[in-house]
Amino acid sequence: MNKLTASFFRIKEDICTMSVAENLKHIQDSIPQHVTLVAVSKTYPVDHIMEVYDQGQRDFGENKVQELAAKAEVMPKDIRWHLIGHLQTNKVKYITGFVHMIHAVDSLKLLKEINKQAAKDDRVVECLLQVHIAEEDTKFGLSHDECEDLLINPTVSEMKHVSIKGLMGMATFTDHQTQVRREFLGLKNLFDRLAQKHADLAYWNPTTLSMGMSGDYLIAIDEGSTMVRVGSSIFGERDYN
Ligand SMILES: *Cc1c(COP(=O)(O)O)cnc(C)c1O
């Protein structure tokens, strides 16, 4: 284990000995006002999530449709739910009635389906286009060109029930901070370029750049993130079993 990794794990241990409310406060204090914190509650039980809700947190993120729908049903209605994970077309209909924002739109087919289902629910669903910025090829997302092509596709201009609010990306999972920083900077540059170049598109309302997780949210904010998705640094280590 190198020095950086060792100190990272020590910080994680400190965080684990604090309460969920203290963790939340710590994260909030490190985030500037213009950045929205999405508390990523996937795998955590409702009573833990309620501890965070009771501290005033209202934006929560889940990565699975079933889990999101189940939690939304039993939790307070003023929560803004974010679907942050990969979304299959056939599952869109379960969330368009209530979801606040869908972060991982990566195809025209998916966007069409979101528009179709949101129309039935008489809603406009906020969407982010997911861009592939990591070195790993396991992560989903569009290339820069694919992202722009999707954004300017003529069929999108006919969609009355989606609003494209910006971009989302996940950096490579690595200790190399310069690499992570470079990947976030690349996404920020794309965001700025598309925001300017296509400012005339009515459905393109670029206010949101969703990047940064527990391990890299401070770097992401440095590089222009306006929305961070933080899970384990608030709730503690995840138990996937
Ligand atoms: C799980 C997840 C997060 C949060 O990860 P942590 O490391 O626990 O903060 C953020 N974004 C996405 C897309 C996720 O799936």
Side-chain angles (χ1 to χ4, degrees):
M1 202 186 292
N2 68 28
K3 243 185 179 164
L4 197 64
T5 319
S7 71
F8 177 69
F9 280 111
R10 258 198 314 280
I11 291 165
K12 284 229 148 173
E13 275 165 27
D14 286 349
I15 284 174
C16 290
T17 60
M18 294 199 288
S19 73
V20 166
E22 283 170 323
N23 292 343
L24 178 71
K25 176 97 182 31
H26 172 82
I27 304 282
Q28 280 170 340
D29 288 349
S30 63
I31 291 177
Q33 204 113 60
H34 71 275
V35 176
T36 302
L37 171 64
V38 176
V40 176
S41 51
K42 66 187 186 198
T43 76
Y44 301 107
V46 166
D47 54 334
H48 286 205
I49 307 171
M50 281 308 294
E51 279 180 50
V52 172
Y53 176 89
D54 288 339
Q55 301 300 312
Q57 177 68 27
R58 289 296 178 270
D59 288 277
F60 289 91
E62 291 281 337
N63 69 337
K64 294 209 174 86
V65 166
Q66 269 100 336
E67 192 175 343
L68 170 62
K71 285 173 175 170
E73 197 169 320
V74 299
M75 293 190 65
K77 299 303 167 211
D78 62 344
I79 290 177
R80 290 181 291 273
W81 288 105
H82 297 248
L83 185 78
I84 59 173
H86 180 68
L87 176 57
Q88 285 171 281
T89 313
N90 62 345
K91 292 188 177 161
V92 169
K93 58 176 179 280
Y94 300 116
I95 59 167
T96 42
F98 67 90
V99 76
H100 174 66
M101 185 176 267
I102 296 175
H103 286 230
V105 175
D106 60 359
S107 71
L108 182 62
K109 182 170 162 241
L110 179 58
L111 199 58
K112 273 185 184 162
E113 181 65 13
I114 295 169
N115 183 61
K116 183 177 153 194
Q117 296 301 333
K120 291 184 191 166
D121 295 313
D122 198 22
R123 295 188 73 230
V124 175
V125 172
E126 300 191 347
C127 296
L128 303 177
L129 302 182
Q130 182 176 6
V131 181
H132 180 101
I133 59 170
E135 210 169 61
E136 298 120 49
D137 46 43
T138 51
K139 286 179 182 163
F140 294 100
L142 303 155
S143 70
H144 287 206
D145 286 347
E146 288 167 341
C147 180
E148 184 168 14
D149 287 348
L150 175 53
L151 183 64
I152 63 174
N153 189 298
T155 54
V156 181
S157 66
E158 274 137 48
M159 298 182 188
K160 300 287 175 267
H161 296 274
V162 294
S163 172
I164 304 179
K165 303 290 285 186
L167 307 180
M168 179 271 213
M170 288 168 86
T172 304
F173 189 73
T174 172
D175 284 339
H176 293 279
Q177 300 210 2
T178 47
Q179 180 180 353
V180 171
R181 194 174 285 280
R182 185 176 356 105
E183 291 172 359
F184 285 146
L185 175 63
L187 186 58
K188 165 70 170 160
N189 287 340
L190 177 67
F191 177 81
D192 287 345
R193 190 169 66 77
L194 296 180
Q196 284 192 1
K197 189 170 167 193
H198 301 296
D200 56 318
L201 300 174
Y203 55 86
W204 168 233
N205 307 295
T207 56
T208 306
L209 182 54
S210 169
M211 58 186 198
M213 315 181 11
S214 290
D216 56 22
Y217 73 94
L218 291 175
I219 301 175
I221 291 169
D222 247 12
E223 297 303 331
S225 170
T226 69
M227 185 174 274
V228 292
R229 311 175 308 269
V230 179
S232 49
S233 288
I234 298 173
F235 292 99
E237 286 303 314
R238 235 170 254 119
D239 180 4
Y240 279 103
N241 301 308

